[in-house]
Structure formats: C-alpha cells, structure tokens
C-alpha cells in the first residue's frame, strides 16, 4: 500500500501547526536530504508517529511540523522532506543549486544514504561540502539507513564512520523498519544540537551589544571649556 492511500486513513499527522509564541517554545528547523529511495520519508514518519510505512509516492518536498518534548524542552519542530536527489554525476551541480532555498532555511541537516546503495553513499560528501559552503554554522548528522538489509549491504558501517570522522560530524546506522528508538535518537540528537546552538547564539549576540558609553568626567569638560574660551580671547 502506498503512502498516499494510507494518509487518508489518518495514520499520520494533524495539519501543519502554527508556531506558538517564541517565549514558550524553541523553534527547530531540520531538513532531510539524500538520493531517492534511501528512506527519508519513512524515517520522518517513523519518528513523528512511531509507525513504519515502507512505500511512498515520490514527494515534491513535504513539510512536517509538530510540538515535541525533548529532555524537558518544548520545541516547535519543522522537518523538510526534500525530493530525492539524482545519482547521475552530471546533474549534481544543478540539483545542489536547487536545494539552496532549503539549505538557507534549515538549521540542522540529516544526510541519509542506504547501506544497500553505494551511489547514495557517494553523494553524501559533495552534499555536505555544499551545505558547509552555504551554512557553515549548521549542524549535520550522517545516517546509514536500512540497517536490517544486511544481505544486500554495499556500504560497510566502517565506511560511514570513516566518512563522518573525515567531515567532523556524527554518524549513526539505523533500521527505520525494525528500530524506532534508533530513528528517534537521530532526530532527538540533532534537535538538541540545534537548540544548544540557538541558545549559545543568543548569548553571543547579547554579549556583542555595544555597551552604553560611560558618563563624561565633569572636571574634564570644565577644563576643555576654559581652554576653548581662552583660545578665543587670544
């Protein structure tokens, strides 16, 4: 059964919510990127509903929103599910350029590949470098999905770990179909990292405000005034 028909059975989310007052919640914006067929949509729905749905119509960029509680913090979470990127190298620059709007919008990124598809793994590094070029302050995590399909594995876990170490980011391998907790850990970790960055950024902005000038020294002003008068008399 495809995702479009399941959606009509109210298995998924309520309509997109408006963000409450910023004084009540933290706003977190995430984007999930990767080639087609790696399970991006399934991961998002699994996290938000705890249900696994394995078959989806190709999406054109669905946006999900939900109020979530993570370690005592209430967050207004928005997740952008991006269309599957092509695996053809010649189309890569054009596809990366088409993602520019999404990259400017989001604060955190899940870069997803399938352990059963070497091409999807090879797309992660150029995607990461493009994100770093546009959003060097963003938080990124690399996810190897479909960890249950060991018999079809084309990407070793060590390959994912090595790539993440080279890029300086966190790596996790998950099975969206078999393990809800693994998927939950991925999103919660990224939410916390983005939230911490927002808190740190607000603190930095406050400390960078130009301090109010000190009151002038009255005696110094009198001395300068007398000097000005004496020079005019001369």
């Amino acid at each position: 059964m495809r995702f479009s028909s399941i959606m009509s059975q109210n298995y998924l989310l309520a309509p997109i919510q408006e963000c409450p007052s910023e004084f009540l919640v933290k706003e977190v914006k995430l984007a999930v990127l990767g080639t087609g067929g790696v399970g991006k949509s399934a991961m998002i729905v699994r996290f938000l509903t705890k249900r696994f749905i394995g078959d989806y119509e190709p999406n054109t960029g669905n946006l999900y929103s939900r109020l979530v509680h993570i370690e005592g913090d209430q967050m207004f979470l928005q997740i952008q599910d991006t269309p599957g990127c092509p695996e053809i190298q010649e189309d890569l620059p054009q596809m990366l350029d088409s993602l520019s709007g999404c990259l400017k919008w989001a604060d955190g990124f899940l870069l997803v590949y399938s352990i059963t598809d070497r091409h999807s793994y090879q797309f992660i590094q150029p995607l990461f470098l493009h994100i770093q070029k546009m959003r060097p302050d963003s938080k990124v995590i690399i996810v190897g999905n479909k960890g249950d399909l060991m018999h079809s594995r084309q990407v070793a876990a060590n390959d994912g770990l090595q790539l993440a170490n080279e890029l300086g980011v966190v790596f996790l391998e998950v099975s969206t179909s078999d393990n809800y907790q693994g998927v939950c850990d991925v999103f919660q970790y990224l939410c916390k990292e983005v939230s911490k960055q927002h808190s740190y950024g607000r603190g930095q902005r406050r400390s960078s405000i130009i301090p109010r000038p000190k009151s002038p020294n009255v005696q110094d002003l009198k001395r300068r005034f007398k000097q000005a008068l004496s020079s005019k008399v001369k």
Side-chain angles (χ1 to χ4, degrees), residues 185-200:
D185 289 344
V186 167
F187 281 97
Q188 288 194 353
Y189 173 82
L190 192 55
C191 285
K192 287 185 289 186
E193 289 298 299
V194 170
S195 178
K196 285 191 296 185
Q197 184 183 50
H198 284 178
S199 299
Y200 175 78

Side-chain angles (χ1 to χ4, degrees), residues 3 12-13 30-33 38-53 56 59 61-66 77-83 110 112 145 174 176 180 183-184 186-187:
F3 174 74
L12 293 183
L13 308 179
L30 307 182
V32 184
L33 302 97
V38 299
K40 301 186 304 296
S41 301
M43 282 186 64
I44 297 171
V45 173
R46 181 72 150 148
F47 171 61
L48 294 176
T49 70
K50 297 186 178 182
R51 295 179 174 86
F52 172 69
I53 304 170
Y56 291 81
N59 79 82
N62 298 321
L63 179 67
Y64 301 85
S65 67
R66 173 68 67 86
L77 174 61
Q78 297 182 77
I79 305 176
Q80 181 71 56
D81 182 9
T82 59
L110 273 74
V112 184
N145 191 27
V174 303
T176 300
Y180 162 74
V183 174
C184 185
V186 167
F187 281 97

Side-chain angles (χ1 to χ4, degrees), residues 121-136:
Y121 167 78
Q122 293 170 338
F123 181 71
I124 296 298
Q125 184 169 7
L127 182 55
F128 172 84
L129 295 177
H130 189 66
I131 292 172
Q132 286 294 291
K133 182 179 178 180
M134 296 194 63
R135 292 293 306 277

